[in-house]
C-alpha cells in the first residue's frame, strides 16, 4: 500500500500533493497534525517566552482582542485545511498537533461559537476525514496507532532535574505514558504497525531545533516517551512532523521514523509498505 504523509500545513496547502497522490496511486493519507495556521501565535510565544514562563498569560501580555483574533484565524484555517485534505478523495487519517483545536481546547463560554471548527466536528461532517485522538485504526488491513497532542517543553522531564518536577507535571507525563502504552498494547502485529504522532522521538537528527528565533535553538526537543515505545516495540514505521527544519528519516532499531516535513513549504512523503521504501518530496 502507498501512503501519502502530510503534516504541518499551517493554513497553506501544497496543490502538487494532489498530483503526486494520483501519479503514485496513493490509497491512504496520513496527517500528523498542525492543520491550523499558528504562526502568529507561535511568534507571540517566542516574543514573550520568559514572561510566559514566569506565569503570565498571553492574554494579559497582548490583550483579549488580539488573542481572540489570532484564535479565530487559526480555527478558520484549520477548517480550510480539513477541506483540502478531503480533496484527496481517499481516506485521510488525521491527528491534532500543538496548533490544532480539539473540543477540549475550547472554553465552555466559546463552545457554541467555535465547536464547528474543532477536529472532532470537522471529521464528523466528512466521509473521508477520520480524526483519532488516541487509539488504533485499521485501513486495508494496515494497523495505524495514533495519538493527538503535544507535550510542551515544560512537560518534558529532561528539561528539568527530577527533584524539581512538580507533581502536576509528573501526573500529566504519567497520563501520556499510559496512553502510549495502551496504543502499543492494542496492536495485533506490532512489527508491521505504523505509529503516527505529531512530535518526533527524542534525540535524533529529526528533533533538533534549528531556528534562531526560538529560545530553544540547538536543543533536542523530541518526545522521550515516544522514543521509549519505539525502542521497546519496534513498529515498522513512525510518521511525525512538527520540526519544520528536519524533514527526513532515521532508523531506530528496525523502525523507520519519517518526519514528512512542513506541507506549507510544499513538503510531504510517500511510504510504500509493499516495497519498504520512503520517498520525500
Amino acid at each position: 500500500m502507498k501512503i501519502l504523509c502530510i503534516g504541518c500545513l499551517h493554513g497553506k496547502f501544497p496543490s502538487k500533493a494532489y498530483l503526486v497522490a494520483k501519479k503514485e496511486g496513493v490509497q491512504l493519507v496520513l496527517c500528523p497534525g498542525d492543520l491550523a495556521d499558528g504562526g502568529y501565535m507561535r511568534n507571540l510565544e517566542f516574543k514573550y517566552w520568559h514572561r510566559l514562563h514566569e506565569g503570565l498569560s498571553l492574554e494579559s501580555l497582548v490583550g483579549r482582542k488580539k488573542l481572540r483574533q489570532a484564535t479565530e484565524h487559526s480555527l478558520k484555517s484549520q477548517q480550510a485545511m480539513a477541506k483540502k485534505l478531503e480533496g484527496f478523495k481517499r481516506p485521510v487519517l488525521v491527528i491534532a498537533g500543538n496548533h490544532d483545536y480539539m473540543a477540549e481546547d475550547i472554553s465552555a463560554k466559546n463552545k457554541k461559537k467555535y465547536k464547528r471548527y474543532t477536529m472532532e466536528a470537522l471529521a464528523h461532517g466528512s466521509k473521508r476525514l477520520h480524526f483519532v485522538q488516541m487509539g488504533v485504526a485499521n485501513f486495508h488491513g494496515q494497523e495505524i496507532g495514533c495519538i493527538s497532542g503535544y507535550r510542551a517543553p515544560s512537560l518534558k522531564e529532561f528539561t528539568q532535574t527530577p527533584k524539581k518536577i512538580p507533581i502536576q507535571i509528573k501526573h500529566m507525563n504519567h497520563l501520556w505514558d499510559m496512553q502510549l502504552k495502551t496504543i502499543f498494547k492494542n496492536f495485533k502485529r506490532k512489527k508491521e504497525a505504523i505509529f503516527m504522532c505529531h512530535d518526533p522521538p527524542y534525540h535524533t537528527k529529526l528533533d533538533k531545533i534549528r531556528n534562531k528565533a526560538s529560545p530553544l535553538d540547538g536543543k533536542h526537543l523530541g518526545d522521550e516517551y515516544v522514543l521509549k515505545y519505539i525502542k521497546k516495540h519496534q513498529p515498522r514505521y513512525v510518521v511525525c512532523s512538527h520540526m519544520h527544519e528536519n524533514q527526513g528519516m532515521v532508523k531506530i532499531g528496525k523502525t523507520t521514523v519519517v518526519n514528512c516535513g512542513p506541507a506549507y513549504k510544499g513538503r510531504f512523503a510517500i511510504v510504500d509498505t509493499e516495497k519498504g521504501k520512503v520517498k520525500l518530496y
Side-chain angles (χ1 to χ4, degrees), residues 10 12 17 40 57 61 98 123 152 174 190 243 256 260-261 267 273:
H10 293 294
K12 187 176 180 180
Y40 177 70
S57 69
L61 293 167
N98 56 305
H174 176 71
K190 293 182 178 66
M243 300 289 190
T256 300
C260 56
R267 297 176 185 171
T273 60

Side-chain angles (χ1 to χ4, degrees), residues 44-249:
L44 288 176
E45 289 172 355
F46 286 175
K47 182 178 180 179
Y48 297 107
W49 182 267
H50 297 294
R51 303 292 301 280
L52 291 169
H53 283 73
E54 289 172 359
L56 295 174
S57 69
L58 198 55
E59 183 177 312
S60 68
L61 293 167
V62 303
R64 182 177 298 178
K65 182 178 179 180
K66 185 176 286 189
L67 187 61
R68 185 181 70 249
Q69 289 173 341
T71 301
E72 289 181 354
H73 170 75
S74 293
L75 284 162
K76 290 178 180 179
S77 66
Q78 179 169 293
Q79 181 188 49
M81 291 303 98
K83 290 181 178 179
K84 290 291 186 179
L85 289 172
E86 288 181 304
F88 282 110
K89 299 182 179 179
R90 294 160 178 80
V92 179
L93 191 59
V94 61
I95 59 173
N98 56 305
H99 287 289
D100 295 323
Y101 291 85
M102 297 181 281
E104 64 187 42
D105 300 317
I106 307 298
S107 64
K109 68 177 181 179
N110 290 321
K111 276 276 193 277
K112 186 175 181 181
K113 184 177 182 180
Y114 295 136
K115 182 180 177 181
R116 64 193 175 105
Y117 296 111
T118 63
M119 298 291 276
E120 294 93 335
L122 293 171
H124 182 72
S126 171
K127 293 181 179 179
R128 299 189 181 96
L129 203 65
H130 305 272
F131 169 66
V132 180
Q133 187 166 359
M134 187 207 79
V136 177
N138 192 307
F139 285 86
H140 306 293
Q142 174 65 62
E143 288 184 301
I144 304 159
C146 304
I147 188 165
S148 287
Y150 165 79
R151 290 169 60 244
S154 59
L155 292 177
K156 292 179 175 177
E157 291 180 334
F158 58 84
T159 63
Q160 305 176 50
T161 57
K163 291 182 180 179
K164 294 183 179 180
I165 298 176
I167 295 297
Q168 184 183 13
I169 288 180
K170 285 185 177 181
H171 176 65
M172 294 177 75
N173 282 336
H174 176 71
L175 290 178
W176 183 260
D177 189 18
M178 290 301 99
Q179 286 181 315
L180 289 168
K181 183 177 182 179
T182 299
I183 291 169
F184 280 87
K185 183 180 179 181
N186 287 336
F187 280 132
K188 293 180 180 178
R189 296 185 299 165
K190 293 182 178 66
K191 305 301 181 185
E192 296 300 319
I194 296 173
F195 176 63
M196 180 166 65
C197 53
H198 184 61
D199 207 9
Y202 175 55
H203 214 279
T204 72
K205 69 178 184 179
L206 302 182
D207 81 318
K208 186 174 182 180
I209 297 177
R210 309 172 200 274
N211 181 354
K212 298 296 183 182
S214 171
L216 298 171
D217 183 47
K219 294 182 181 294
H220 288 277
L221 208 67
D223 195 290
E224 74 273 29
Y225 289 108
V226 169
L227 176 65
K228 179 176 81 170
Y229 285 98
I230 291 173
K231 286 183 172 180
K232 183 175 181 179
H233 295 292
Q234 296 282 277
R236 189 177 184 192
Y237 293 104
V238 171
V239 175
C240 59
S241 53
H242 185 58
M243 300 289 190
H244 301 169
E245 60 270 48
N246 296 329
Q247 184 192 40
M249 297 175 286

